[in-house]
Amino acid sequence: WRIQKIILESLDFNTVVENVVNGLLEELGYMDLGYRIIVLTLVNERKKVLERISLSSTEEAKQAMAASAIPFHDIDIPLSAQKNLLIKTLKNNKSYSTHYWPELFHPVLTDEQAIKNQKAAGIKTSMTFPLTVREKTIGVMIFSLVKDLKDVSKEERELIEGFTDIVALAVENAKLYSSLASTTERLKDANH
């Protein structure tokens, strides 16, 4: 309920995506469970890429960004990158996990660059979950942890799956609202 309230309390797109990546860590204490980085990615149909939209405000996220050869918002994964785990998550609409960050960054970063980011953040495991609205996968969330996958409880996974369902709906609503607000403003200017 608290997570729903945080995510759904605003229709502003930027506020929603920021609340999404920080809410689970801060509100439900997932930092104490070993979760350190949450990334929200969305499909950009026009550019044919999966864009990184928002990143959690944690020390580990800052360390990974500082080590990265490419700035966070410039890491766009081509939808054609079939070997990328995010694209597999998107296409198959199911969750995956990895202990090897090159699977998340290929082909944008080299294996060495991706491993450097992972080591800088101290991440052992990353899990990917699809964001689905009305039977369409609109993006992927990445949950990165400082613990092994075997230490992730069934309850944690179930909460994350429920969380991503809410996130998909909140993000889609915020995008529509922001688009409507922008169109309304342009019409107002045109009428004036």
Side-chain angles (χ1 to χ4, degrees), residues 35 96-97 126-129 141-143 145 149 152 157 160:
Y35 292 74
Y96 292 94
S97 61
S126 291
M127 301 183 299
T128 62
F129 288 83
M141 286 194 72
I142 308 166
F143 297 83
L145 306 85
L149 184 62
V152 175
R157 280 191 84 86
I160 290 172

Side-chain angles (χ1 to χ4, degrees), residues 65-79:
M65 283 194 324
S68 186
I70 298 175
F72 173 78
H73 286 289
D74 293 341
I75 300 173
D76 293 343
I77 306 297
L79 296 179

Side-chain angles (χ1 to χ4, degrees), residues 1-9 23 26-29:
W1 176 84
R2 291 188 332 228
I3 288 294
Q4 282 181 332
K5 185 176 183 305
I6 288 169
I7 293 172
L8 299 174
E9 72 183 352
E26 295 170 2
E27 191 65 27
L28 292 185

Side-chain angles (χ1 to χ4, degrees), residues 102-119:
E103 292 182 313
L104 300 174
F105 288 95
H106 176 80
V108 179
L109 296 180
T110 66
D111 289 0
E112 294 77 20
Q113 290 169 329
I115 291 167
K116 180 180 173 190
N117 291 7
Q118 184 176 3
K119 285 183 179 177

Side-chain angles (χ1 to χ4, degrees), residues 177-192:
Y177 179 79
S178 295
S179 176
L180 179 62
S182 175
T183 302
T184 301
E185 195 60 38
R186 285 196 312 269
L187 280 172
K188 213 159 101 177
D189 289 345
N191 284 335
H192 180 69

Side-chain angles (χ1 to χ4, degrees), residues 20-137:
V20 161
V21 295
N22 291 310
L24 193 67
L25 297 174
E26 295 170 2
E27 191 65 27
L28 292 185
Y30 265 49
M31 287 287 288
D32 296 337
L33 296 175
Y35 292 74
R36 292 297 188 271
I37 301 174
I38 298 178
V39 177
L40 171 67
T41 68
L42 295 175
V43 172
N44 182 322
E45 294 287 353
R46 185 179 52 78
K47 292 168 57 178
K48 302 279 187 240
V49 296
L50 189 62
E51 293 180 315
R52 280 172 164 65
I53 302 298
S54 193
L55 174 69
S56 53
S57 301
T58 61
E59 193 55 42
E60 290 80 0
K62 290 175 190 166
Q63 291 167 347
M65 283 194 324
S68 186
I70 298 175
F72 173 78
H73 286 289
D74 293 341
I75 300 173
D76 293 343
I77 306 297
L79 296 179
S80 60
Q82 299 301 318
K83 292 182 180 180
N84 184 285
L85 198 58
L86 299 171
I87 302 304
K88 286 182 185 177
T89 302
L90 188 71
K91 302 282 186 193
N92 298 331
N93 195 26
K94 66 182 225 177
S95 62
Y96 292 94
S97 61
T98 184
H99 66 279
Y100 188 62
W101 268 17
E103 292 182 313
L104 300 174
F105 288 95
H106 176 80
V108 179
L109 296 180
T110 66
D111 289 0
E112 294 77 20
Q113 290 169 329
I115 291 167
K116 180 180 173 190
N117 291 7
Q118 184 176 3
K119 285 183 179 177
I123 298 299
K124 289 186 179 180
T125 304
S126 291
M127 301 183 299
T128 62
F129 288 83
L131 296 174
T132 307
V133 178
R134 292 181 281 289
E135 298 180 22
K136 181 179 180 188
T137 308

